[in-house]
Amino acid sequence: MLKTRIIPCLDVRDGRVVKGVRFGDIRDAGDPVEASARYEAEGADEIVILDISATPRELAHGYEVVGAVRERLRLPLTVGGGVRTVEDARRLLESGADKVAVNTAAVREPELLEALAAEFGRQCVVLAVDARRCGTSWEVVVRSGADRTGRDAVEWAAEGERRGAGEVLLTSWDQDGTKAGYDIPLLESVCGRLRCPVIASGGAAEVDHFVDGARAGATALLAASIFHFQEVAIADLKSALADRGVPMRRGLQR
């Protein structure tokens, strides 16, 4: 059994960490370099950085933020936002990312996943899927939730894996920032279709939420605001999860 990872997510806009609810009501949450260093010290297993200004504004990613974070960070680093081409991904990897997350560009051009996997290997390719409930199913939304696509989220995740994604970062638009817990039916549906690891995202705030995410099949559990605003200590969370029978990684040993 894969041991479960705890992953803080840093949504970055104009060089600052921000956090909102359902991709809106954004508030400042600090400096990405300092936040990443703190999370590493607290026992996080990986860090995800998503440049939320890059895709909606058709901008390039803030490579300087990635480089500054890498100078302080030993943990694996996944970076997304504004990745439209193989060269965009290459620049992020050269700046210090270990994996590259793609979302909007992959929906528009699914062959991008194949090209990224061929160039860098599946282990470097993370498909970010933002899913919004639509009746009894879930629809893919893009551009930070601004655009609906008509694509079924479960089917798209499965297609993304076939095309080369080595991991899926699954975010529930409905649960994002609500602190009401992960969308468990969504997680179970996607995890039941995929062989690759799935990162649960959107809504986790309590130990029970993380336990539910792990039991639904996620091999990594992501959160943002509860870490940014120091509502939960990562070490305490991992200890509580281990006590509940969730096999945990130990983080970096100093």
Side-chain angles (χ1 to χ4, degrees):
M1 178 182 292
L2 291 175
K3 291 189 176 181
T4 304
R5 293 166 286 157
I6 297 297
I7 303 179
C9 180
L10 283 63
D11 291 336
V12 173
R13 184 173 69 180
D14 300 325
R16 297 287 293 177
V17 180
V18 296
K19 188 60 188 132
V21 178
R22 298 191 180 111
F23 304 168
D25 293 330
I26 301 295
R27 57 175 172 155
D28 187 87
D31 176 76
V33 177
E34 295 304 319
S36 297
R38 175 163 61 86
Y39 296 144
E40 179 175 284
E42 289 180 0
D45 298 297
E46 296 184 18
I47 300 290
V48 168
I49 294 179
L50 301 176
D51 189 329
I52 65 170
S53 60
T55 296
R57 292 158 59 184
E58 298 293 329
L59 301 174
H61 199 286
Y63 300 102
E64 67 282 353
V65 171
V66 179
V69 168
R70 175 47 72 200
E71 287 184 2
R72 294 280 299 276
L73 192 73
R74 294 185 294 159
L75 292 176
L77 177 62
T78 296
V79 183
V83 178
R84 304 178 186 91
T85 67
V86 169
E87 289 309 310
D88 291 336
R90 190 187 312 280
R91 286 193 63 186
L92 285 176
L93 294 169
E94 290 173 348
S95 296
D98 298 289
K99 294 181 279 188
V100 174
V102 290
N103 186 342
T104 301
V107 173
R108 293 173 175 169
E109 186 183 351
E111 294 80 10
L112 177 60
L113 294 169
E114 298 169 5
L116 292 172
E119 186 71 17
F120 307 115
R122 296 176 69 98
Q123 79 285 348
C124 284
V125 183
V126 179
L127 175 61
V129 178
D130 296 336
R132 182 173 182 174
R133 183 174 287 276
C134 184
T136 58
S137 61
W138 297 268
E139 180 183 4
V140 176
V141 293
V142 297
R143 297 183 67 248
S144 298
D147 293 348
R148 304 182 75 149
T149 66
R151 279 182 175 266
D152 180 88
V154 179
E155 295 301 326
W156 170 232
E159 179 182 343
E161 181 182 39
R162 291 195 302 271
R163 287 184 178 272
E167 192 166 27
V168 169
L169 169 54
L170 179 65
T171 301
S172 167
W173 181 93
D174 304 280
Q175 301 298 101
D176 179 72
T178 64
K179 299 185 179 180
Y182 297 121
D183 187 329
I184 298 304
L186 170 63
L187 260 180
E188 290 175 338
S189 296
V190 172
C191 292
R193 288 287 301 275
L194 304 186
R195 294 185 177 183
C196 70
V198 174
I199 304 170
S201 170
E206 302 172 4
V207 171
D208 283 347
H209 298 159
F210 290 90
V211 172
D212 291 343
R215 290 177 177 169
T219 58
L221 306 169
L222 180 148
S225 60
I226 63 167
F227 299 143
H228 299 336
F229 303 114
Q230 302 185 48
E231 298 170 23
V232 176
I234 292 173
D236 292 342
L237 173 62
K238 294 178 81 170
S239 178
L241 289 172
D243 288 344
R244 296 282 294 275
V246 179
M248 303 301 302
R249 290 194 185 179
R250 297 180 61 191
L252 289 177
Q253 303 300 304
R254 295 185 180 275

PDB file of all heavy atoms in Angstrom, residues 37-52:
ATOM      1  N   ALA A  37       9.028  26.904   3.077  1.00  0.00           N
ATOM      2  CA  ALA A  37      10.043  26.507   4.051  1.00  0.00           C
ATOM      3  C   ALA A  37       9.393  26.067   5.366  1.00  0.00           C
ATOM      4  O   ALA A  37       9.827  25.090   5.994  1.00  0.00           O
ATOM      5  CB  ALA A  37      11.011  27.662   4.293  1.00  0.00           C
ATOM      6  N   ARG A  38       8.347  26.775   5.777  1.00  0.00           N
ATOM      7  CA  ARG A  38       7.658  26.406   7.020  1.00  0.00           C
ATOM      8  C   ARG A  38       6.996  25.043   6.894  1.00  0.00           C
ATOM      9  O   ARG A  38       7.057  24.216   7.810  1.00  0.00           O
ATOM     10  CB  ARG A  38       6.629  27.480   7.378  1.00  0.00           C
ATOM     11  CG  ARG A  38       5.770  27.127   8.596  1.00  0.00           C
ATOM     12  CD  ARG A  38       5.079  28.347   9.153  1.00  0.00           C
ATOM     13  NE  ARG A  38       4.181  28.969   8.207  1.00  0.00           N
ATOM     14  CZ  ARG A  38       2.909  28.601   8.041  1.00  0.00           C
ATOM     15  NH1 ARG A  38       2.409  27.584   8.742  1.00  0.00           N
ATOM     16  NH2 ARG A  38       2.138  29.235   7.178  1.00  0.00           N
ATOM     17  N   TYR A  39       6.364  24.786   5.746  1.00  0.00           N
ATOM     18  CA  TYR A  39       5.685  23.509   5.571  1.00  0.00           C
ATOM     19  C   TYR A  39       6.671  22.346   5.540  1.00  0.00           C
ATOM     20  O   TYR A  39       6.387  21.267   6.055  1.00  0.00           O
ATOM     21  CB  TYR A  39       4.837  23.532   4.302  1.00  0.00           C
ATOM     22  CG  TYR A  39       3.713  24.539   4.360  1.00  0.00           C
ATOM     23  CD1 TYR A  39       3.322  25.238   3.226  1.00  0.00           C
ATOM     24  CD2 TYR A  39       3.046  24.800   5.550  1.00  0.00           C
ATOM     25  CE1 TYR A  39       2.300  26.164   3.280  1.00  0.00           C
ATOM     26  CE2 TYR A  39       2.031  25.723   5.611  1.00  0.00           C
ATOM     27  CZ  TYR A  39       1.660  26.408   4.478  1.00  0.00           C
ATOM     28  OH  TYR A  39       0.645  27.328   4.539  1.00  0.00           O
ATOM     29  N   GLU A  40       7.815  22.577   4.929  1.00  0.00           N
ATOM     30  CA  GLU A  40       8.841  21.525   4.943  1.00  0.00           C
ATOM     31  C   GLU A  40       9.261  21.224   6.376  1.00  0.00           C
ATOM     32  O   GLU A  40       9.367  20.047   6.773  1.00  0.00           O
ATOM     33  CB  GLU A  40      10.050  21.952   4.129  1.00  0.00           C
ATOM     34  CG  GLU A  40      11.173  20.925   4.125  1.00  0.00           C
ATOM     35  CD  GLU A  40      12.314  21.312   3.208  1.00  0.00           C
ATOM     36  OE1 GLU A  40      12.140  21.176   1.984  1.00  0.00           O
ATOM     37  OE2 GLU A  40      13.359  21.768   3.713  1.00  0.00           O
ATOM     38  N   ALA A  41       9.485  22.261   7.177  1.00  0.00           N
ATOM     39  CA  ALA A  41       9.902  22.069   8.565  1.00  0.00           C
ATOM     40  C   ALA A  41       8.819  21.380   9.389  1.00  0.00           C
ATOM     41  O   ALA A  41       9.123  20.648  10.337  1.00  0.00           O
ATOM     42  CB  ALA A  41      10.253  23.421   9.194  1.00  0.00           C
ATOM     43  N   GLU A  42       7.558  21.594   9.026  1.00  0.00           N
ATOM     44  CA  GLU A  42       6.439  21.013   9.773  1.00  0.00           C
ATOM     45  C   GLU A  42       6.151  19.561   9.396  1.00  0.00           C
ATOM     46  O   GLU A  42       5.337  18.915  10.036  1.00  0.00           O
ATOM     47  CB  GLU A  42       5.176  21.849   9.556  1.00  0.00           C
ATOM     48  CG  GLU A  42       5.212  23.207  10.237  1.00  0.00           C
ATOM     49  CD  GLU A  42       3.935  23.994  10.001  1.00  0.00           C
ATOM     50  OE1 GLU A  42       3.030  23.476   9.302  1.00  0.00           O
ATOM     51  OE2 GLU A  42       3.838  25.125  10.508  1.00  0.00           O
ATOM     52  N   GLY A  43       6.798  19.069   8.316  1.00  0.00           N
ATOM     53  CA  GLY A  43       6.620  17.670   7.972  1.00  0.00           C
ATOM     54  C   GLY A  43       5.807  17.389   6.729  1.00  0.00           C
ATOM     55  O   GLY A  43       5.394  16.247   6.501  1.00  0.00           O
ATOM     56  N   ALA A  44       5.551  18.408   5.903  1.00  0.00           N
ATOM     57  CA  ALA A  44       4.850  18.169   4.640  1.00  0.00           C
ATOM     58  C   ALA A  44       5.649  17.207   3.769  1.00  0.00           C
ATOM     59  O   ALA A  44       6.878  17.098   3.897  1.00  0.00           O
ATOM     60  CB  ALA A  44       4.625  19.479   3.896  1.00  0.00           C
ATOM     61  N   ASP A  45       4.955  16.506   2.883  1.00  0.00           N
ATOM     62  CA  ASP A  45       5.611  15.532   2.011  1.00  0.00           C
ATOM     63  C   ASP A  45       5.935  16.103   0.638  1.00  0.00           C
ATOM     64  O   ASP A  45       6.896  15.668   0.000  1.00  0.00           O
ATOM     65  CB  ASP A  45       4.715  14.300   1.847  1.00  0.00           C
ATOM     66  CG  ASP A  45       4.479  13.617   3.175  1.00  0.00           C
ATOM     67  OD1 ASP A  45       5.445  13.129   3.777  1.00  0.00           O
ATOM     68  OD2 ASP A  45       3.319  13.585   3.623  1.00  0.00           O
ATOM     69  N   GLU A  46       5.152  17.030   0.178  1.00  0.00           N
ATOM     70  CA  GLU A  46       5.366  17.701  -1.100  1.00  0.00           C
ATOM     71  C   GLU A  46       4.748  19.085  -1.004  1.00  0.00           C
ATOM     72  O   GLU A  46       3.986  19.380  -0.075  1.00  0.00           O
ATOM     73  CB  GLU A  46       4.724  16.933  -2.267  1.00  0.00           C
ATOM     74  CG  GLU A  46       5.307  15.562  -2.521  1.00  0.00           C
ATOM     75  CD  GLU A  46       4.694  14.887  -3.756  1.00  0.00           C
ATOM     76  OE1 GLU A  46       4.089  15.598  -4.597  1.00  0.00           O
ATOM     77  OE2 GLU A  46       4.825  13.661  -3.864  1.00  0.00           O
ATOM     78  N   ILE A  47       5.044  19.915  -1.994  1.00  0.00           N
ATOM     79  CA  ILE A  47       4.415  21.231  -2.127  1.00  0.00           C
ATOM     80  C   ILE A  47       3.864  21.351  -3.541  1.00  0.00           C
ATOM     81  O   ILE A  47       4.507  20.932  -4.512  1.00  0.00           O
ATOM     82  CB  ILE A  47       5.425  22.375  -1.886  1.00  0.00           C
ATOM     83  CG1 ILE A  47       6.034  22.293  -0.478  1.00  0.00           C
ATOM     84  CG2 ILE A  47       4.776  23.734  -2.120  1.00  0.00           C
ATOM     85  CD1 ILE A  47       5.093  22.608   0.650  1.00  0.00           C
ATOM     86  N   VAL A  48       2.669  21.921  -3.655  1.00  0.00           N
ATOM     87  CA  VAL A  48       2.106  22.269  -4.958  1.00  0.00           C
ATOM     88  C   VAL A  48       1.989  23.790  -5.033  1.00  0.00           C
ATOM     89  O   VAL A  48       1.466  24.425  -4.108  1.00  0.00           O
ATOM     90  CB  VAL A  48       0.713  21.637  -5.174  1.00  0.00           C
ATOM     91  CG1 VAL A  48       0.015  22.245  -6.383  1.00  0.00           C
ATOM     92  CG2 VAL A  48       0.837  20.127  -5.355  1.00  0.00           C
ATOM     93  N   ILE A  49       2.476  24.365  -6.122  1.00  0.00           N
ATOM     94  CA  ILE A  49       2.311  25.796  -6.393  1.00  0.00           C
ATOM     95  C   ILE A  49       1.509  25.945  -7.679  1.00  0.00           C
ATOM     96  O   ILE A  49       1.891  25.404  -8.721  1.00  0.00           O
ATOM     97  CB  ILE A  49       3.668  26.515  -6.547  1.00  0.00           C
ATOM     98  CG1 ILE A  49       4.426  26.513  -5.214  1.00  0.00           C
ATOM     99  CG2 ILE A  49       3.472  27.943  -7.035  1.00  0.00           C
ATOM    100  CD1 ILE A  49       5.790  27.174  -5.295  1.00  0.00           C
ATOM    101  N   LEU A  50       0.399  26.671  -7.600  1.00  0.00           N
ATOM    102  CA  LEU A  50      -0.438  26.933  -8.769  1.00  0.00           C
ATOM    103  C   LEU A  50      -0.518  28.437  -8.978  1.00  0.00           C
ATOM    104  O   LEU A  50      -1.007  29.165  -8.106  1.00  0.00           O
ATOM    105  CB  LEU A  50      -1.843  26.351  -8.573  1.00  0.00           C
ATOM    106  CG  LEU A  50      -1.920  24.839  -8.318  1.00  0.00           C
ATOM    107  CD1 LEU A  50      -3.362  24.425  -8.047  1.00  0.00           C
ATOM    108  CD2 LEU A  50      -1.350  24.067  -9.503  1.00  0.00           C
ATOM    109  N   ASP A  51      -0.023  28.907 -10.104  1.00  0.00           N
ATOM    110  CA  ASP A  51      -0.104  30.325 -10.438  1.00  0.00           C
ATOM    111  C   ASP A  51      -1.503  30.590 -10.989  1.00  0.00           C
ATOM    112  O   ASP A  51      -1.791  30.308 -12.148  1.00  0.00           O
ATOM    113  CB  ASP A  51       0.961  30.693 -11.471  1.00  0.00           C
ATOM    114  CG  ASP A  51       1.059  32.188 -11.701  1.00  0.00           C
ATOM    115  OD1 ASP A  51       0.027  32.871 -11.577  1.00  0.00           O
ATOM    116  OD2 ASP A  51       2.154  32.679 -12.007  1.00  0.00           O
ATOM    117  N   ILE A  52      -2.384  31.127 -10.156  1.00  0.00           N
ATOM    118  CA  ILE A  52      -3.788  31.272 -10.547  1.00  0.00           C
ATOM    119  C   ILE A  52      -4.036  32.495 -11.421  1.00  0.00           C
ATOM    120  O   ILE A  52      -5.140  32.683 -11.933  1.00  0.00           O
ATOM    121  CB  ILE A  52      -4.719  31.310  -9.326  1.00  0.00           C
ATOM    122  CG1 ILE A  52      -4.449  32.554  -8.470  1.00  0.00           C
ATOM    123  CG2 ILE A  52      -4.564  30.036  -8.505  1.00  0.00           C
ATOM    124  CD1 ILE A  52      -5.484  32.760  -7.392  1.00  0.00           C
TER     125      ILE A  52
END
